[in-house]
Amino acid sequence: MGGVTELFVVMILIAAFAFAPLGYFIYRFTKAGDKPFGEIEPHGDSPSAVNDFAEKAIKFVKDKFAKK
């Protein structure tokens, strides 16, 4: 019977370590007025060379299809 008890304790410890990050995230997320990921900037508000290039490429393709 001692082997079952030891296995139970070991499995509880493994589960505690495995789910600790999830518990911490839930704790941070549910705190009043706190953001779990800190201050993040909204998407689309910052200029980016990649975004500008993608917009130009999309506009180019749309223009090509519109002319046909």
Side-chain angles (χ1 to χ4, degrees), residues 31-53:
K31 283 173 59 175
D34 196 13
K35 296 178 182 168
F37 300 114
E39 293 295 327
I40 58 171
E41 88 179 52
H43 295 290
D45 288 351
S46 60
S48 167
V50 174
N51 286 342
D52 293 341
F53 176 74

